[in-house]
Amino acid sequence: MVAKDSLAQKNWVDEQYNQMTLDEKLGQLFMVIVASDQSKTATDAVKSLIENQKIGGVIFSTGGPMRQAKLTNEYQAVSKLPLLVGMDAEWGLSMRLDSTYAFPWNMTLGAIEDNTIVAAVGKRIGEHAKRLGVHINFAPDIDINVNPQNPIIGNRSFGEDRENVAEKGIAFMKGMESAGVLSSGKHFPGHGDTATDSHHALPMINFSRERLDSLELYPYRRLIEEGLSSVMVGHLEVPAMEIKEGLPSSLSEQIISGVLKEELCFEGLVFTDALNMKGVTQHGKDGDAEVAAFMAGNDILLMPTEVLKAKEKLTKAYKKGRISEERLAYSVKKILSAKYKVGLHSYKPVETKNLFKDLNSLEDDILYEEAIENAITVLKNDFFLMGIKRLENKKIAYVKFGDDSADPFLNTLNKYAEVTEVSGNDIASLKKKLADYNLVIVGLHKNNESPWKSYKFSQKELSWLQELAAMRTSNLILSVFAKPYALLDVPSFDQIDGVVMAYQNSYFAQEKAAEIIFGAIGAKGKLPVSAHKEFPVNSQIELKSLLRLGYSFPERVGFDPSKLAQIDQLVQNGLDSLMFPGAQVVVARHGKIVYNKGFGKPTYDSKDSITPNHIYDLASITKILGTLPMIMKMEEEGDIALNNTFQDLVPEYADSELKNVTVLKALSHYGRLPAWIAFYVDTLDKNRKPSKEFYRDAPMDGYSIKVTDKLYLTDAYKDSIYDRIGRQELKSNRYRYSDVAYYVMKKYIEDKNKESLDKLVDEFLYKPIGAFSTSYNPLNRFPKERIVPSEEDKYYRYETVQGYVHDMGAAMQGGVGGHAGLFSNAEDVAKIMQMYLQGGYYGGTRFFDNRTVKKFNTCYFCDNKVRRGVGFDKPQLEDKGPTCGCVSRKSFGHSGFTGTYTWADPEEELVYVFLSNRTYPTASNTLLVKSGLRTRIQQAIYDALDN
């Protein structure tokens, strides 16, 4: 209990002690319980004890932080010597208080291999306690929970492995003490192997001394060596240490003075466990138990039932010589030393301003996320089922067990694949519904309010689980959001293919379990207790990440969130300036999406708000997300080469001016091709309406090319497009952005593969990568209201363009152009860009060789002032261009006419996506383009990096 300035501490302690009366010295031994949600009568009674009985401390129980802060200040103001304030806050202040933060329980922390995370949790809990004016937190609980039937410890223990419990206890203790809050190891000599709750009776710890030394006492020995501040002695009957039958350890001189102080050389504060518990109250009324506890070697009598009577009896014992001055000074000076160490020699009241904010910060969420990410444990993974790969082959159902919410789990699963919740009134109907699925994920979701809540499967759930596991049509993954002991009741895991232990049903546990199941993050946790004969303590299957995008906070990937929030302001400026009705923005770094928001509305008149789920017309981003992936794949497979010419691809062009244009030059926009061809203009009549010569208002023989649901183009026009391209003259030899090459590429891809581009790229890329919101002709798959309109067309289609491609040339190809036609949301665009960023690998699938990505992401004509790669846009070579000028040369991306933009930077491992419908209601609105808003947002993202 020695402070850094030990000499000043000793002088202060001696000075205080020498001024105290006997009554004041004895008062220091009492720490009385109070709750901030009690009546004023009750809290005033404690105030009276402080004023009149000079008690040394209070332990706060239930209530709220603001009420407790005010009560603390009120009590400290009337106390002659500042009070030592204690709390049970094992997993944070929320163990007792509303409106405060709950960190993971010890059992969850026990699964983490990296003890620095446990220390960080301890430190943060300490910071919360200190902020609320609490000086000692009765934590960590270092009981070794070897008994699954233990009704009171369980989740409060770090587990059953003595080394793990000791290491976690040390880490937690050091973290908390570094925040200036005293620690307390409990419940000495060990409450882990009993099925009795000492709140209601006296538990028997009936083991040999050898067993107690090697197991129960081991963590105490280790923590004492590392500087444990205090020990709380439990109410336990331990025959191997105390010969008197029925005497609780909290009243045993042999256990406290003999074992704890002499054998283990403990010199810190010794607290009784609560003296109002049934495990001790039968051992003396009217203050007898308190006297016995002090005589046994305790320093502080915690939650006494009879302060006045106990004080009277302690006074008598002192005056009769049963308690010596030396014995009293020993405890009181130790208490005063503790008060000095926590700063009570220069006491300051609790500041109530910003209290709630300080006790519930983003920093807490970030730490919780990191902790649970490291705790979740994979126990079984037959057939290497997790992380789930080959999404195109999976039809996934989710079945909910338990009595608590499963929304975060299901929502996160659906970020990776289409996962359908299936339920049934009986097992037969459930199995019938599940027959169509080849993977079933069962989640057991149990109440997360406290570690004592029910954690078991119901009998019906156990029966259903076995039946579902036995189905031959599907694999089964079980994810348990409850205490590990829930698994003990499962008769057999033989037919259960995957088991994930998530420990708690918190938001982050659910989110991270889903990420592990799909391989967005790896699995690192290790089982801290024996949970089944198949899963003994320390069971662990480590899984590596499959490099799918995960979800996290900006701080965890090196962003300053306050600077990143500049995006909100910039997009809002765009909305206010009528640049677009609505937009989506996604930012990902180091494989984590840390910003994903919708802004505005689908149209200026809409009542709906844009969500991340809405789908936009990507316009020219189609080039790099639709056509280019197929070109890259075919180049790898030898079906196309960058030095192929247009006459190689389309033999009909052998006699055209285009015959010698190479794939490399065309896709680098250096092929002397025209920028675009307004094919649609030639199909309008003299009133500039679609001509009856070319169009019908319903599909019929010879008119099957769907432009909209009211406009069908003649099939003959498909050849007319390519004939007209073949008649083009080459332009001057300079950089000229052109759509024309992508018409040619589409034709070649489809002719070579004998399949349409949209089907090819869907099978090759979108389904396997999990881009389930990405599609050409989205009305075939998605409800219309999910698709954002792109224009009120008054020049070709004469209707609202919604769900049909905006680009006229692509519309005349049935919605599937090589240069336009793709629809998606920002999240899906980010997945594909992340795949490119990772050299062609994503989610356990290698789509391209790293060499191929590099080959296409190279500027071959920079010396000729052509900045483009092969398909990809690249950073500007001079002042102005497609980026903020703040990106690396290795970066790449593309923009689209409808107001879209995406960019990826391998050096910063950063992906940015901006989608809008700036063309609504009219494409003549170029405010977005003129403002440079998309690249100003990009600049804000780079400015937010904590470099």
Side-chain angles (χ1 to χ4, degrees):
M1 205 52 67
V2 179
K4 285 181 180 172
D5 52 343
S6 56
L7 193 58
Q9 179 188 35
K10 184 179 184 303
N11 291 339
W12 184 84
V13 168
D14 289 342
E15 185 185 342
Q16 298 304 317
Y17 189 81
N18 293 336
Q19 291 171 7
M20 293 166 92
T21 64
L22 176 61
D23 189 54
E24 288 169 342
K25 290 173 185 172
L26 292 172
Q28 291 300 304
L29 308 177
F30 294 88
M31 185 174 264
V32 174
I33 186 168
V34 65
S36 58
D37 58 5
Q38 285 176 313
S39 67
K40 189 167 188 308
T41 306
T43 59
D44 279 352
V46 174
K47 188 174 179 181
S48 172
L49 289 174
I50 295 166
E51 289 181 298
N52 302 319
Q53 299 303 320
K54 312 295 188 247
I55 60 170
V58 290
I59 175 170
F60 275 98
S61 184
T62 53
M66 190 58 78
R67 288 169 288 171
Q68 182 170 316
K70 288 175 178 174
L71 206 51
T72 299
N73 290 344
E74 186 183 334
Y75 287 168
Q76 293 285 23
V78 299
S79 183
K80 184 178 174 185
L81 193 67
L83 298 161
L84 189 67
V85 178
M87 264 190 91
D88 276 315
E90 293 167 24
W91 56 90
L93 299 175
S94 80
M95 181 171 175
R96 292 290 182 252
L97 302 179
D98 62 36
S99 312
T100 53
Y101 201 85
F103 289 91
W105 303 324
N106 279 3
M107 183 74 77
T108 309
L109 299 179
I112 298 171
E113 292 212 83
D114 181 355
N115 290 330
T116 62
I117 296 169
V118 180
V121 172
K123 182 178 183 186
R124 197 71 189 125
I125 289 172
E127 287 168 348
H128 284 189
K130 188 169 186 179
R131 176 68 182 83
L132 192 55
V134 174
H135 311 115
I136 180 163
N137 179 11
F138 294 106
D141 186 322
I142 50 175
D143 296 312
I144 298 176
N145 204 85
V146 287
N147 189 336
Q149 304 309 317
N150 194 319
I152 191 62
I153 305 302
N155 272 323
R156 298 165 66 195
S157 164
F158 291 116
E160 71 176 67
D161 179 301
R162 69 174 201 165
E163 295 292 345
N164 190 42
V165 171
E167 292 295 335
K168 298 294 182 287
I170 290 166
F172 189 101
M173 169 189 83
K174 287 192 168 180
M176 194 163 67
E177 296 253 356
S178 74
V181 170
L182 303 177
S183 57
S184 189
K186 65 186 186 185
H187 305 84
F188 188 83
H191 203 324
D193 197 353
T194 173
T196 306
D197 179 356
S198 54
H199 289 82
H200 306 300
L202 184 64
M204 169 76 79
I205 309 295
N206 201 3
F207 302 108
S208 70
R209 184 61 204 268
E210 289 71 29
R211 143 73 194 252
L212 293 167
D213 278 346
S214 65
L215 193 69
E216 277 78 3
L217 294 183
Y218 182 79
Y220 290 96
R221 196 172 284 115
R222 292 283 310 279
L223 268 75
I224 288 166
E225 286 170 0
E226 296 288 343
L228 181 64
S229 296
S230 76
V231 166
M232 179 188 284
V233 184
H235 307 310
L236 307 161
E237 184 173 1
V238 192
M241 292 182 174
E242 171 54 65
I243 53 174
K244 187 174 178 184
E245 191 176 332
L247 185 67
S249 45
S250 53
L251 307 183
S252 166
E253 188 176 359
Q254 290 181 44
I255 291 173
I256 298 167
S257 297
V259 178
L260 178 60
K261 293 182 177 178
E262 290 179 25
E263 291 184 27
L264 300 185
C265 305
F266 182 62
E267 295 177 351
L269 280 174
V270 182
F271 287 80
T272 65
D273 201 347
L275 290 169
N276 59 5
M277 289 161 65
K278 291 273 178 15
V280 73
T281 50
Q282 61 211 39
H283 288 272
K285 292 183 178 168
D286 300 336
D288 288 339
E290 284 81 352
V291 174
F294 184 70
M295 300 294 285
N298 290 290
D299 298 307
I300 296 186
L301 310 170
L302 190 64
M303 294 156 64
T305 54
E306 296 280 359
V307 176
L308 273 66
K309 289 178 180 173
K311 243 179 124 185
E312 281 173 19
K313 290 186 176 176
L314 285 165
T315 304
K316 275 183 191 170
Y318 180 85
K319 287 180 175 172
K320 285 185 176 176
R322 284 180 60 212
I323 297 173
S324 67
E325 168 57 25
E326 185 186 10
R327 168 70 187 91
L328 183 60
Y330 172 78
S331 285
V332 175
K333 286 189 175 183
K334 212 193 292 184
I335 294 164
L336 292 172
S337 293
K339 288 187 174 186
Y340 185 95
K341 190 174 182 183
V342 297
L344 286 174
H345 58 295
S346 56
Y347 162 75
K348 290 187 185 72
V350 180
E351 174 58 73
T352 54
K353 190 181 176 187
N354 295 329
L355 182 62
F356 175 81
K357 187 165 156 266
D358 292 343
L359 299 179
N360 296 274
S361 72
L362 189 60
E363 190 181 333
D364 304 322
D365 280 341
I366 292 165
L367 180 54
Y368 191 114
E369 182 187 74
E370 186 183 10
I372 203 76
E373 213 172 84
N374 280 271
I376 295 172
T377 309
V378 173
L379 294 172
K380 192 174 184 187
N381 193 30
D382 288 356
F383 319 115
F384 304 103
L385 196 54
M386 299 178 283
I388 298 171
K389 303 179 199 68
R390 305 210 63 82
L391 300 181
E392 69 275 22
N393 299 332
K394 302 288 188 296
K395 191 170 184 200
I396 306 173
Y398 162 74
V399 178
K400 179 184 179 290
F401 284 0
D403 51 15
D404 205 16
S405 165
D407 293 346
F409 186 53
L410 187 57
N411 291 342
T412 309
L413 291 173
N414 271 290
K415 289 179 186 288
Y416 297 105
E418 289 170 344
V419 179
T420 309
E421 183 170 7
V422 178
S423 58
N425 294 326
D426 54 71
I427 188 62
S429 66
L430 182 61
K431 284 168 73 174
K432 189 175 178 186
K433 290 180 189 174
L434 290 173
D436 291 340
Y437 297 87
N438 58 19
L439 176 59
V440 177
I441 299 171
V442 176
L444 175 68
H445 300 268
K446 300 299 285 186
N447 191 300
N448 196 56
E449 280 177 25
S450 90
W452 301 290
K453 291 278 186 181
S454 164
Y455 62 91
K456 296 193 169 205
F457 289 91
S458 68
Q459 285 306 309
K460 182 178 92 169
E461 287 166 347
L462 288 169
S463 165
W464 284 24
L465 181 62
Q466 296 302 306
E467 292 239 16
L468 298 180
M471 289 177 68
R472 296 195 167 185
T473 50
S474 55
N475 294 109
L476 188 139
I477 294 170
L478 172 65
S479 190
V480 175
F481 300 93
K483 197 189 288 191
Y485 296 132
L487 298 177
L488 287 169
D489 293 332
V490 178
S492 168
F493 286 90
D494 290 351
Q495 293 177 297
I496 297 172
D497 305 300
V499 179
V500 178
M501 174 48 62
Y503 301 98
Q504 297 186 226
N505 198 43
S506 62
Y507 173 88
F508 291 116
Q510 293 188 53
E511 183 182 65
K512 295 299 153 188
E515 290 188 26
I516 284 169
I517 286 169
F518 276 100
I521 55 175
K524 306 172 191 169
K526 186 183 276 190
L527 193 65
V529 292
S530 298
H532 195 272
K533 63 179 187 294
E534 290 194 36
F535 309 127
V537 63
N538 295 324
S539 292
Q540 176 187 44
I541 294 173
E542 287 192 65
L543 298 185
K544 285 202 164 72
S545 164
L546 298 179
L547 302 187
R548 272 190 215 289
L549 282 171
Y551 298 83
S552 192
F553 295 98
E555 291 90 332
R556 286 194 70 194
V557 296
F559 280 116
D560 178 335
S562 61
K563 290 181 181 175
L564 202 62
Q566 184 66 23
I567 297 172
D568 296 49
Q569 188 57 54
L570 287 165
V571 179
Q572 190 57 51
N573 292 348
L575 292 169
D576 295 343
S577 304
L578 304 183
M579 294 181 195
F580 44 79
Q584 289 174 347
V585 179
V586 159
V587 180
R589 191 172 192 226
H590 299 328
K592 309 262 188 204
I593 290 177
V594 296
Y595 187 102
N596 184 12
K597 288 187 182 180
F599 297 88
K601 299 174 178 181
T603 70
Y604 289 110
D605 303 325
S606 176
K607 289 176 182 164
D608 297 326
S609 295
I610 291 293
T611 70
N613 215 27
H614 276 93
I615 292 169
Y616 280 87
D617 182 335
L618 298 183
S620 280
I621 291 179
T622 301
K623 294 181 172 84
I624 65 166
L625 301 192
T627 308
L628 196 64
M630 295 311 303
I631 295 288
M632 291 167 75
K633 175 177 184 280
M634 291 170 70
E635 196 272 342
E636 266 190 15
E637 293 170 352
D639 290 328
I640 192 171
L642 295 185
N643 60 2
N644 280 156
T645 61
F646 274 20
Q647 67 179 335
D648 295 330
L649 306 186
V650 183
E652 294 89 330
Y653 290 169
D655 297 324
S656 75
E657 277 199 32
L658 313 185
K659 64 183 179 183
N660 292 323
V661 176
T662 63
V663 172
L664 175 63
K665 284 196 169 184
L667 294 183
S668 301
H669 300 277
Y670 193 46
R672 301 174 63 192
L673 299 171
W676 74 299
I677 302 168
F679 296 107
Y680 80 99
V681 172
D682 291 347
T683 67
L684 304 179
D685 62 20
K686 63 180 188 295
N687 297 317
R688 297 193 66 80
K689 296 283 174 72
S691 167
K692 295 281 195 309
E693 180 188 347
F694 296 104
Y695 297 96
R696 298 291 182 270
D697 57 12
M700 55 182 66
D701 279 352
Y703 292 85
S704 68
I705 299 173
K706 188 177 186 178
V707 177
T708 73
D709 56 355
K710 298 174 194 156
L711 199 62
Y712 290 81
L713 176 64
T714 173
D715 297 347
Y717 207 82
K718 182 179 176 186
D719 291 336
S720 302
I721 286 174
Y722 288 104
D723 288 346
R724 186 162 172 191
I725 289 171
R727 296 198 305 273
Q728 296 299 305
E729 295 177 354
L730 291 176
K731 305 291 180 185
S732 58
N733 192 24
R734 63 172 176 81
Y735 167 67
R736 183 181 290 99
Y737 180 75
S738 171
D739 287 342
V740 173
Y742 285 87
Y743 285 86
V744 179
M745 296 304 143
K746 168 183 149 71
K747 177 174 170 57
Y748 178 71
I749 290 164
E750 293 183 337
D751 290 350
K752 185 76 178 172
N753 291 284
K754 298 181 171 49
E755 184 60 271
S756 64
L757 173 63
D758 55 334
K759 288 179 183 167
L760 287 166
V761 72
D762 193 48
E763 290 300 320
F764 167 61
L765 181 58
Y766 307 148
K767 282 180 183 170
I769 212 167
F772 292 100
S773 297
T774 304
S775 175
Y776 296 83
N777 291 315
L779 287 170
N780 296 339
R781 282 182 50 191
F782 307 110
K784 190 173 185 177
E785 59 271 16
R786 202 181 150 194
I787 306 162
V788 176
S790 52
E791 191 172 21
E792 294 294 338
D793 183 343
K794 293 181 168 49
Y795 50 87
Y796 173 36
R797 288 151 289 203
Y798 293 91
E799 62 173 276
T800 302
V801 182
Q802 183 175 10
Y804 298 104
V805 62
H806 178 266
D807 182 274
M808 293 72 76
M812 296 172 77
Q813 293 182 297
V816 184
H819 63 296
L822 196 59
F823 287 72
S824 189
N825 63 6
E827 215 165 333
D828 271 10
V829 173
K831 290 175 186 178
I832 300 170
M833 294 301 284
Q834 186 70 23
M835 177 272 293
Y836 285 137
L837 193 75
Q838 292 168 179
Y841 180 88
Y842 188 94
T845 299
R846 178 152 288 290
F847 294 93
F848 308 111
D849 234 24
N850 195 18
R851 283 191 309 246
T852 306
V853 177
K854 281 184 177 167
K855 184 186 285 187
F856 281 75
N857 182 29
T858 295
C859 175
Y860 290 92
F861 303 105
C862 278
D863 292 346
N864 302 67
K865 297 187 178 177
V866 179
R867 69 169 189 261
R868 299 263 175 174
V870 186
F872 294 112
D873 201 356
K874 299 283 290 169
Q876 55 263 45
L877 300 174
E878 293 170 353
D879 290 346
K880 290 187 178 175
T883 77
C884 54
C886 51
V887 298
S888 76
R889 290 299 316 156
K890 290 180 182 173
S891 70
F892 55 91
H894 216 283
S895 59
F897 183 79
T898 49
T900 59
Y901 184 87
T902 184
W903 210 267
D905 189 341
E907 286 194 4
E908 292 291 355
E909 291 183 66
L910 196 154
V911 172
Y912 159 47
V913 186
F914 176 96
L915 304 183
S916 77
N917 54 335
R918 70 101 193 152
T919 49
Y920 190 90
T922 170
S924 63
N925 176 8
T926 57
L927 289 171
L928 175 68
V929 182
K930 288 173 181 169
S931 73
L933 182 72
R934 290 171 287 188
T935 53
R936 278 161 52 214
I937 292 170
Q938 187 177 48
Q939 181 70 59
I941 292 166
Y942 277 76
D943 288 345
L945 289 171
D946 279 335
N947 286 339

